[in-house]
Amino acid sequence: MGPNGTVQYSISAGDRSRFQINAKSGVISTRMALDREEKTAYQLQIVATDGGNLQSPNQAIVTVTVLDTQDNPPVFSQAAYSFVVFENVALGYHVGSVSATTMDLNANISYLITTGDQRGMFAMNPVTGQLTTASVIDREEQSFYQLRVVASGGAVTGDTLVNITVKDLNDNAPHFLQAVESINTVENWQAGHSIFQAKAVDPDEGVNGRVLYSLKQNPKNLFAINEQNGNISLLAPLDVHAGSYQVENLASDMGVPQLSSTIILTVYVHDVNDNPPVFDQISYEVTLSELEPVNSRLFKVQASDKDSGANGEIVYTITDGNTGDAFGIFPDGQLYIKSELDRELQERYVLLVVASDRAVEPLSATVNVTVILEDVNDNRPLFNSTNYTFYFEEEQRAGSFVGKVSAVDKDFGPNGEVRYAFEVAQPDFELHAVTGELTNTHKFDRESLMRRRGTAVFSFTVIATDQGLPQPLKDQATVHVYMKDINDNAPKFLKDFYQATVSEMATNLTQVLRVSASDVDEGNNGLIHYSILKGNEERQFTIDKFSGQVTLVGKLDYEATPAYSLLIQAVDSGAISLNSTCTLSIDILDENDNTPSFPKSTLFVDVLENMRIGELVSSVTATDSDSGVNADLHYTITGSNNHGTFSISPNTGSIFLAKKLDFETQSLYKLNITAKDQGRPPRSSTMSVVIHVRDFNDNPPSFPPGDIFKSIVENIPLGTSVISVTAHDPDADINGQLSYAIIQQMPRGNHFSIDEVKGTIYTSAEIDWEFANLFELTVKANDQAVPIETRRYALKNVTILVTDLNDNVPMFISQNALAADPSAMIGSVLTTIMAADPDEGANGEVEYEIVNGDTETFTVDRYSGDLRVASALVPSQLIYNLIVSATDLGPERRKSTTELTVILQGLDGPVFTQNKYITILKEGEPIGTNVISIEAASPRGSEAPVEYYIVSVHCEEKTVGRLFTIGRQTGVIQTAAILDREQGACLYLVDVYAIEKSSAFPRTQRAEGSLAFSLRNHSLKVKVWSVKEVGNDIDFTDSQLQGRPIRPMN
């Protein structure tokens, strides 16, 4: 009762990765999905523990059987099937079979054709997978089928491709396009002349579709046929009196059985056509009006042919010269108008007329027919422009050429002759009636026209008339005559003399005065340009060439030049230019025009940061060319960032320090010093004074507050940037220039380095979490002040945390052999297998498993590594061999394996040559160094081979790992690790077993009671000395060594 009566359940053995148990209720549940195809059953060992920590004496064995579900799709025996079937096979013909299987139990697989059989040519047995024909298959319709067959096993399916090739049968006879044909021949065709090309088609394949030709009926053996291509030719000339011949052509394939078809040819023989048609004239010519209507008959040609029948029948065609298909011809030779005629487009046609007979090989003759079109006045004259524009210079004498108008009439003769006239009489111009040339009747003055009429343009209409009858046709156009100006007027100024005043203080581009001239001419002749001819030798003024505006472009000085007189010219832009001039007088007004001047625009001054208040910093001086009050100067600080740090004497310009300097607060001052005269208005100028404050080292470097932590992963590449630590020093130049160094690293070792300029910390050695998971660095920041003893520094602690990676494979530390009592009970622990993984967390947690060997006899606890007896040991077995794996639990699991030999203890085994072996080994020897050689032999003198095994290594009554190895046949012991005496170990006890193998008695007979092997353990003591102690006789006391003096083994 009470807490001692509460029971909790746990799984002590079995697959705990897949199953879990409720500690209170005992309900077993799965951790993950189970797969019956992977494993059908699991066995769990359950232990019950009460509140007093007492366990049930008997553990419960629970067997979990995994039931099957339909989760594996059917898989076909082949990825694709291929079958061959002949066409025309009977319905239900067995084409082939498909088969699929599944790993699931009780799965009823059904088969179905899903694609590739749109016409339903095949059927699939849904149970057996047998494929049969469901319709008549014709290769000529389709010679290949690709079916997709699906196998369904419940909710999951699989599919495969079935390829069916249809083989050909000779089921199609050769086929002619026509069953009967007619052929026309001539009596004079000679032997070998080809008269017909026979062509039959057979859709079958190969020899079944290969066609050969022959003549089944060949009257008088007059014809021959090419067996391969079917070409029929003559063997002899044909007789015209026979009229016709009937030839039967046979086409046969090469299949079995052979199939054939025929074509009946009727060959007609005709007379020889030996007379061509002959026209009754060598050529023809006809004239007609261009207005003749369409379909009018105009002329008939006539030809004759002396042959008879079709050879003498004539047909007529126009083959050339019929531009625009203007004419046609009837079968009897009658020509007619086929489309509208227009003489203006084409006035003459030369038609080539052909007369041909209707013979098999026709003969023909040709004749030229010339058709001439007569003109009709159907086109009016047309001016080449509806508007004419002429430009005529003024002042030309009467009769000068103004321009020419032109009109064209497409008609012929008088219908196309054009005469010109004014629509309304023009007193100022004459128009030539034939040529269309326009001339003036008197001299023109453009300026007079502008004053009198307000324009210098004449506009009128001209008429063009042809001479056709009965009614002439006409056209009209408008003419514009523009009077062109000539340069016959000079520019004229409004005034001959201009006067202006300007202050000597006037700024650049000040406008002084604008002069103006005019020109009554037009265009460039009236376009005026202005220029200064004289009086501007100092180039103080400029004039706008277009507007006449005079502008100041120089600096005036009354004291140098009190007045200017400029001669200004106006010139027009005519080809031969005309000009005129005027005078401009400019008086200069005196002003206070001299500004105080500093010798330089900027003054640079250096002062010490510890300068005393009131000391002279520097002096500035300005000069003024004026005199009196205009030259009386006062100095002020008019703009600065000095915050009252400096002052200036207003009379002398001396600058003094007024406040204490601090380089770190402000290292540069800019003062604007102004010198102002006392004129009206006063003039002033300003210069800049730049004051540099020189620093001295009065500030130590400082890091940001707080400790610095950084996390990195192990195994990052050398030279990787980890973190940057930066300090600040407000001093200038080398006083504030910092250099970084790592002055201490814990643990010791140069694992990190630092960029002495940037403060960036880099890895400089391998970072291994197993070596250290935390590094503490002390970083020093030094300024570079001179001398060195004035330098200041700051220190900063940087902590770098290392994150573990799963970069180590579990390494076995327990021995690879053990000695067991043959009578060990089932369930007893023989040894604990141990493997070490230096990684952290799950990366370093290890699970054990027997992966090969005598797995029925032994079991291993996955987590503890305890090796237990699972079934009774057989003494005659002597040894058991196991392969054991150790796997970590990292995300990418790493695994190692080891051989484990279980030796059953026995009697009367080999005898070692010594009771104890003792040797001395220097520390630091490399792995594989020979330690000592031991030897054992059978007491019976047998020559049976002996094998050696190390079963344990002890140091100071503690079991240690695999520090030594032994040659299984040689008995030579070697180091498996580098030994270090300073780690506290100096004496090792190594237990070695020797096993005798008798060739006379194989292992399999041991079950019968005969001993094939015997074994005896022996111990070896190894003393490890430091290097400095080796070389002299060594005497040490140990209860097991009996105080014997030992020499080191070479």
Side-chain angles (χ1 to χ4, degrees):
M1 299 296 288
N4 293 334
T6 59
V7 178
Q8 289 192 338
Y9 304 93
S10 62
I11 300 174
S12 61
D15 197 336
R16 282 178 283 191
S17 65
R18 286 179 168 82
F19 298 94
Q20 59 186 0
I21 189 169
N22 188 294
K24 294 182 179 180
S25 66
V27 174
I28 299 174
S29 59
T30 58
R31 289 180 178 269
M32 62 178 66
L34 305 180
D35 188 356
R36 188 200 65 81
E37 287 72 32
E38 178 183 338
K39 193 170 184 180
T40 59
Y42 297 86
Q43 197 171 60
L44 306 178
Q45 191 169 306
I46 310 300
V47 64
T49 307
D50 63 16
N53 208 28
L54 293 179
Q55 293 185 350
S56 58
N58 297 321
Q59 296 183 350
I61 304 300
V62 177
T63 300
V64 180
T65 301
V66 182
L67 301 179
D68 187 39
T69 60
Q70 299 296 321
D71 58 348
N72 289 281
V75 178
F76 281 92
S77 60
Q78 296 178 214
Y81 294 83
S82 295
F83 302 121
V84 176
V85 62
F86 280 96
E87 64 177 332
N88 301 331
V89 295
L91 299 183
Y93 176 80
H94 178 231
V95 178
S97 297
V98 297
S99 176
T101 58
T102 180
M103 297 175 64
D104 294 328
L105 300 177
N106 303 319
N108 295 322
I109 298 177
S110 61
Y111 303 91
L112 176 67
I113 299 173
T114 58
T115 62
D117 188 22
Q118 291 82 355
R119 296 189 296 149
M121 306 301 291
F122 301 94
M124 172 68 71
N125 189 305
V127 177
T128 64
Q130 187 179 71
L131 182 66
T132 58
T133 59
S135 183
V136 177
I137 299 175
D138 187 359
R139 188 203 67 81
E140 286 70 39
E141 291 184 2
Q142 188 170 344
S143 61
F144 178 77
Y145 296 85
Q146 187 176 68
L147 313 180
R148 182 171 295 278
V149 177
V150 172
S152 174
V156 291
T157 61
D159 63 358
T160 188
L161 292 178
V162 177
N163 298 317
I164 302 172
T165 302
V166 181
K167 300 292 287 184
D168 184 52
L169 292 177
N170 192 21
D171 57 346
N172 291 282
H175 173 68
F176 286 103
L177 295 179
Q178 301 289 339
V180 177
E181 288 279 0
S182 295
I183 305 172
N184 292 311
T185 63
V186 180
E187 63 177 334
N188 64 345
W189 284 355
Q190 299 301 310
H193 192 99
S194 177
I195 64 171
F196 184 73
Q197 176 65 55
K199 182 64 176 176
V201 178
D202 191 326
D204 287 326
E205 188 178 33
V207 295
N208 296 336
R210 181 181 175 190
V211 180
L212 297 180
Y213 300 91
S214 62
L215 295 178
K216 189 175 181 182
Q217 180 180 338
N218 187 1
K220 297 182 181 182
N221 202 29
L222 291 172
F223 304 94
I225 189 168
N226 186 298
E227 183 184 48
Q228 300 296 328
N229 60 31
N231 183 267
I232 299 175
S233 59
L234 297 177
L235 292 176
L238 303 179
D239 184 3
V240 69
H241 302 292
S244 65
Y245 299 88
Q246 195 168 66
V247 180
E248 187 175 3
N249 181 11
L250 178 67
S252 304
D253 62 27
M254 302 296 291
V256 178
Q258 190 175 46
L259 302 178
S260 63
S261 62
T262 62
I263 181 173
I264 304 299
L265 303 177
T266 302
V267 182
Y268 295 95
V269 184
H270 298 275
D271 183 27
V272 175
N273 185 23
D274 53 358
N275 289 288
V278 177
F279 283 98
D280 59 359
Q281 290 183 212
I282 297 176
S283 63
Y284 300 92
E285 182 175 310
V286 62
T287 301
L288 69 155
S289 171
E290 66 175 323
L291 295 182
E292 286 291 333
V294 175
N295 292 328
S296 296
R297 299 184 179 217
L298 59 107
F299 189 73
K300 183 177 182 180
V301 297
Q302 185 69 43
S304 60
D305 193 324
K306 294 179 180 181
D307 292 320
S308 61
N311 294 343
E313 295 178 7
I314 299 175
V315 293
Y316 299 91
T317 55
I318 301 174
T319 60
D320 195 17
N322 193 14
T323 305
D325 200 21
F327 301 95
I329 190 167
F330 291 114
D332 61 355
Q334 178 68 54
L335 289 165
Y336 67 95
I337 299 174
K338 196 173 181 180
S339 60
E340 288 187 356
L341 303 176
D342 188 352
R343 191 205 64 81
E344 285 70 38
L345 294 178
Q346 186 167 341
E347 64 180 3
R348 177 186 295 266
Y349 295 84
V350 179
L351 307 178
L352 184 63
V353 177
V354 178
S356 303
D357 58 30
R358 297 181 181 272
V360 175
E361 293 180 341
L363 300 176
S364 63
T366 62
V367 70
N368 287 331
V369 177
T370 302
V371 180
I372 301 173
L373 301 184
E374 290 183 339
D375 183 52
V376 176
N377 191 21
D378 56 348
N379 291 280
R380 67 185 176 90
L382 290 176
F383 281 104
N384 55 14
S385 175
T386 58
N387 284 279
Y388 290 89
T389 300
F390 302 123
Y391 294 91
F392 185 66
E393 280 190 357
E394 64 176 332
E395 305 296 337
Q396 293 193 59
R397 60 183 177 79
S400 298
F401 178 77
V402 177
K404 182 179 180 179
V405 296
S406 178
V408 177
D409 192 321
K410 294 180 181 180
D411 290 326
F412 181 71
N415 295 335
E417 292 181 7
V418 180
R419 297 291 183 267
Y420 303 95
F422 291 117
E423 182 182 42
V424 176
Q426 298 294 319
D428 300 306
F429 300 95
E430 287 184 355
L431 179 62
H432 195 284
V434 177
T435 64
E437 289 185 355
L438 185 66
T439 58
N440 63 327
T441 59
H442 59 85
K443 184 184 293 187
F444 294 103
D445 182 19
R446 190 193 68 83
E447 289 74 28
S448 297
L449 289 174
M450 290 296 296
R451 288 193 296 272
R452 188 174 70 251
R453 301 177 60 200
T455 180
V457 180
F458 295 91
S459 297
F460 46 85
T461 301
V462 295
I463 303 297
T465 307
D466 64 24
Q467 306 303 305
L469 295 175
Q471 179 66 40
L473 302 177
K474 63 178 62 178
D475 190 20
Q476 68 178 27
T478 301
V479 177
H480 303 282
V481 180
Y482 289 85
M483 287 297 125
K484 288 179 62 178
D485 182 54
I486 63 173
N487 193 18
D488 54 351
N489 293 280
K492 184 177 181 180
F493 281 100
L494 297 180
K495 295 192 295 184
D496 293 331
F497 183 79
Y498 295 86
Q499 193 168 7
T501 59
V502 62
S503 170
E504 67 172 329
M505 296 296 294
T507 60
N508 194 20
L509 300 181
T510 297
Q511 293 183 350
V512 179
L513 185 77
R514 181 170 179 257
V515 297
S516 179
S518 61
D519 191 324
V520 295
D521 287 326
E522 186 182 38
N524 288 338
N525 296 331
L527 180 61
I528 298 174
H529 291 162
Y530 299 92
S531 62
I532 301 175
L533 296 181
K534 289 195 322 182
N536 194 28
E537 288 75 13
E538 296 179 5
R539 300 187 183 278
Q540 299 281 29
F541 303 94
T542 185
I543 188 169
D544 188 288
K545 64 187 297 187
F546 299 109
S547 66
Q549 178 67 55
V550 178
T551 304
L552 176 67
V553 294
K555 179 65 177 173
L556 300 177
D557 187 358
Y558 174 82
E559 289 74 21
T561 306
Y564 295 89
S565 179
L566 307 180
L567 181 62
I568 298 175
Q569 175 184 258
V571 57
D572 62 28
S573 302
I576 301 175
S577 61
L578 302 177
N579 63 77
S580 62
T581 60
C582 72
T583 301
L584 171 60
S585 176
I586 303 174
D587 294 326
I588 309 302
L589 301 178
D590 186 30
E591 300 286 349
N592 181 21
D593 57 347
N594 290 291
T595 302
S597 174
F598 286 99
K600 59 175 69 175
S601 60
T602 304
L603 174 66
F604 295 93
V605 180
D606 286 343
V607 298
L608 293 175
E609 182 180 8
N610 57 353
M611 186 180 192
R612 295 188 303 274
I613 295 174
E615 282 193 52
L616 176 67
V617 176
S618 184
S619 295
V620 295
T621 302
T623 59
D624 193 325
S625 299
D626 293 324
S627 59
V629 294
N630 291 337
D632 185 10
L633 303 181
H634 287 98
Y635 300 93
T636 57
I637 300 174
T638 56
S640 72
N641 59 347
N642 69 344
H643 308 292
T645 306
F646 301 94
S647 62
I648 190 169
S649 171
N651 297 318
T652 65
S654 297
I655 302 172
F656 300 95
L657 179 66
K659 288 185 179 180
K660 183 67 176 174
L661 298 175
D662 183 6
F663 172 84
E664 288 72 33
T665 302
Q666 187 169 345
S667 61
L668 179 70
Y669 295 88
K670 292 183 179 180
L671 310 181
N672 288 336
I673 307 300
T674 299
K676 183 193 300 184
D677 62 24
Q678 305 304 305
R680 292 287 185 270
R683 301 177 67 86
S684 64
S685 64
T686 302
M687 72 170 293
S688 295
V689 177
V690 180
I691 301 174
H692 290 274
V693 180
R694 291 197 338 212
D695 179 56
F696 69 95
N697 194 21
D698 57 345
N699 292 284
S702 62
F703 285 99
D707 292 335
I708 299 176
F709 293 89
K710 179 64 178 179
S711 177
I712 62 174
V713 297
E714 64 173 332
N715 300 332
I716 59 176
L718 298 183
T720 299
S721 172
V722 177
I723 193 174
S724 293
V725 291
T726 54
H728 175 67
D729 191 326
D731 290 325
D733 301 325
I734 60 174
N735 295 336
Q737 181 180 335
L738 301 182
S739 175
Y740 299 91
I742 299 175
I743 62 173
Q744 182 176 345
Q745 298 190 36
M746 294 298 292
R748 293 181 179 180
N750 295 323
H751 289 84
F752 299 92
S753 61
I754 191 168
D755 187 305
E756 65 177 10
V757 176
K758 298 179 180 179
T760 302
I761 297 175
Y762 299 91
T763 58
S764 57
E766 181 184 4
I767 305 300
D768 189 359
W769 180 89
E770 289 71 30
F771 170 77
N773 62 2
L774 181 143
F775 292 88
E776 292 185 337
L777 313 179
T778 300
V779 177
K780 181 179 182 181
N782 246 17
D783 64 28
Q784 304 300 301
V786 177
I788 295 177
E789 56 268 16
T790 64
R791 292 183 178 177
R792 294 172 174 254
Y793 68 88
L795 301 178
K796 193 66 175 180
N797 291 329
V798 178
T799 302
I800 300 176
L801 306 174
V802 181
T803 303
D804 182 46
L805 294 177
N806 190 18
D807 57 343
N808 291 281
V809 177
M811 299 295 295
F812 285 93
I813 58 176
S814 58
Q815 301 300 323
N816 58 2
L818 66 95
D821 188 344
S823 60
M825 300 295 292
I826 294 175
S828 60
V829 178
L830 299 182
T831 188
T832 298
I833 300 171
M834 297 180 63
D837 189 326
D839 289 322
E840 183 183 29
N843 296 338
E845 295 181 13
V846 180
E847 289 186 347
Y848 303 92
E849 184 180 6
I850 299 174
V851 296
N852 203 354
D854 297 314
T855 56
E856 301 298 328
T857 307
F858 304 94
T859 61
V860 64
D861 187 282
R862 168 171 287 187
Y863 302 104
S864 67
D866 289 343
L867 182 67
R868 298 178 183 270
V869 178
S871 63
L873 302 177
V874 180
S876 61
Q877 178 92 11
L878 185 61
I879 63 174
Y880 293 87
N881 292 311
L882 305 176
I883 301 296
V884 180
S885 69
T887 307
D888 63 28
L889 301 181
E892 296 180 358
R893 306 187 68 177
R894 302 175 71 91
K895 176 181 179 180
S896 63
T897 60
T898 187
E899 295 182 358
L900 178 61
T901 302
V902 180
I903 305 169
L904 301 186
Q905 296 172 345
L907 301 175
D908 196 19
V911 177
F912 286 96
T913 57
Q914 295 179 214
N915 290 334
K916 292 183 179 180
Y917 294 88
I918 301 176
T919 187
I920 296 174
L921 180 67
K922 292 190 295 183
E923 68 173 343
E925 290 294 317
I927 295 173
T929 300
N930 290 342
V931 178
I932 195 170
S933 178
I934 63 177
E935 184 178 357
S938 171
R940 295 173 296 280
S942 171
E943 294 183 359
V946 175
E947 290 186 353
Y948 303 90
Y949 296 88
I950 296 176
V951 297
S952 69
V953 178
H954 290 83
C955 178
E956 298 177 356
E957 298 182 355
K958 294 181 180 179
T959 300
V960 295
R962 298 182 181 183
L963 300 181
F964 303 95
T965 62
I966 189 167
R968 187 164 294 181
Q969 280 75 36
T970 63
V972 176
I973 297 178
Q974 296 178 325
T975 57
I978 298 176
L979 304 179
D980 186 0
R981 183 178 182 275
E982 282 69 34
Q983 291 184 353
C986 61
L987 182 65
Y988 295 92
L989 177 61
V990 182
D991 289 333
V992 178
Y993 271 70
I995 303 173
E996 177 185 337
K997 287 188 174 182
S998 173
S999 61
F1001 300 98
R1003 292 185 179 184
T1004 56
Q1005 297 178 356
R1006 290 186 56 126
E1008 300 173 359
S1010 62
L1011 289 174
F1013 302 93
S1014 63
L1015 54 85
R1016 175 179 296 172
N1017 70 320
H1018 202 75
S1019 62
L1020 165 69
K1021 292 192 177 181
V1022 180
K1023 174 73 174 181
V1024 180
W1025 297 90
S1026 65
V1027 176
K1028 64 184 179 180
E1029 296 173 312
V1030 177
N1032 300 311
D1033 288 350
I1034 301 170
D1035 195 0
F1036 61 92
T1037 302
D1038 186 277
S1039 60
Q1040 294 175 315
L1041 299 181
Q1042 302 174 354
R1044 295 165 55 189
I1046 304 298
R1047 281 188 178 276
M1049 175 181 177
N1050 294 326

